[in-house]
Amino acid sequence: MSEAPLDDADAPQSTRRVGVVIGSNRPNRNCEGITEWFLRFSGQDDAAPVFEVVDLGEIDLPFLDEPMMPALGNYQHEHTLRWSNLISSFDAFIFVFPQYNWGYPAVLKNALDFLYAEWRDKPAGLVSYGTRGGEKGAAQLKLVLQGLHMRLLEHHVELVISLENVDEQGLFQDIEGTLAPFVESAQQMVTELTLALN
Ligand SMILES: Cc1cc2nc3c(=O)[nH]c(=O)nc-3n(C[C@H](O)[C@H](O)[C@H](O)COP(=O)(O)O)c2cc1C
């Protein structure tokens, strides 16, 4: 049997759970800071679901190594069972991810491809970023999430980050200031997600 990712006694009672997926695993990634920023708008009213970070960097799945097609749910590896249990424990997802070469990060595609039924029918919100908001990467992810039969939220948070907003290492100089224009958009997404789950 696989190890349960959460102790039932610790699980929040009568609340819906949302996995907020950190969709980049690069060293020096901005994704973690952006996810922390987004989480500030979660749980501001009682009806809001519980948000929990799912860090693909920490989970560290190998490249898809299951011999059977994931849609069959016949998993052979302990890491897949753990991933399946974790994803099954959520009612919805927010994917936070950068645009990479007009697409989205391979680590995110790999994590999605590992499973199938676990994603199905669950609401999914996209928080993308890039010099133009990451809309091309988001368009690709939307198609894949439709293929997984997820329920895409209408609202999409597109964070425009220009070269002046980052230092020579590509890290934010002032994350609060840079993302201030998008606070309302993030709040709208949380509201839509809350309604979708109630
Ligand atoms: C492999 C790679 C490809 C990139 N491609 C794009 C791109 O197509 N469009 C864009 O606006 N930014 C692009 N960037 C810049 C990223 O938006 C920026 O580096 C961002 O911080 C990456 O997110 P991360 O730090 O969370 O990994 C790219 C960055 C990397 C590392």
Side-chain angles (χ1 to χ4, degrees):
M1 278 298 284
S2 65
E3 193 185 307
L6 285 174
D7 182 339
D8 280 346
D10 294 334
Q13 302 288 299
S14 68
T15 4
R16 314 306 298 273
R17 299 179 67 242
V18 178
V20 183
V21 178
I22 301 185
S24 158
N25 65 339
R26 245 172 23 98
N28 264 358
R29 61 192 173 168
N30 280 311
C31 205
E32 223 173 317
I34 292 174
T35 303
E36 275 167 28
W37 170 85
F38 179 83
L39 284 170
R40 242 172 293 145
F41 312 107
S42 64
Q44 288 179 339
D45 74 71
D46 290 345
V50 171
F51 289 75
E52 193 179 302
V53 170
V54 178
D55 184 349
L56 297 183
E58 241 171 54
I59 288 165
D60 200 24
L61 288 164
F63 271 123
L64 179 59
D65 58 353
E66 283 292 336
M68 307 290 283
M69 189 164 82
L72 300 171
N74 183 1
Y75 305 133
Q76 309 290 309
H77 296 297
E78 193 61 26
H79 53 255
T80 314
L81 290 166
R82 269 201 304 275
W83 181 231
S84 169
N85 284 344
L86 179 63
I87 295 308
S88 297
S89 75
F90 291 110
D91 301 294
F93 296 90
I94 299 286
F95 296 99
V96 185
F97 61 99
Q99 178 167 305
Y100 282 175
N101 300 314
W102 291 24
Y104 58 95
V107 71
L108 179 52
K109 181 69 163 71
N110 187 54
L112 289 164
D113 288 343
F114 252 99
L115 307 176
Y116 186 76
E118 294 85 343
W119 303 111
R120 198 180 181 96
D121 292 330
K122 295 181 180 172
L126 272 54
V127 177
S128 62
Y129 54 96
T131 50
R132 294 191 181 164
E135 93 269 22
K136 288 194 167 69
Q140 294 193 7
L141 182 58
K142 281 181 187 171
L143 201 62
V144 169
L145 299 184
Q146 280 165 9
L148 288 166
H149 307 283
M150 296 193 81
R151 288 159 46 206
L152 282 170
L153 298 185
E154 296 262 320
H155 193 71
H156 168 198
V157 179
E158 285 183 294
L159 307 172
V160 177
I161 298 162
S162 66
L163 287 179
E164 300 94 71
N165 300 137
V166 294
D167 62 20
E168 63 286 349
Q169 292 198 58
L171 294 167
F172 279 113
Q173 322 221 39
D174 168 19
I175 188 164
E176 286 298 321
T178 303
L179 300 183
F182 308 103
V183 166
E184 201 181 327
S185 178
Q187 286 168 333
Q188 278 173 16
M189 174 164 281
V190 172
T191 302
E192 189 188 347
L193 186 57
T194 303
L195 288 172
L197 287 173
N198 283 306

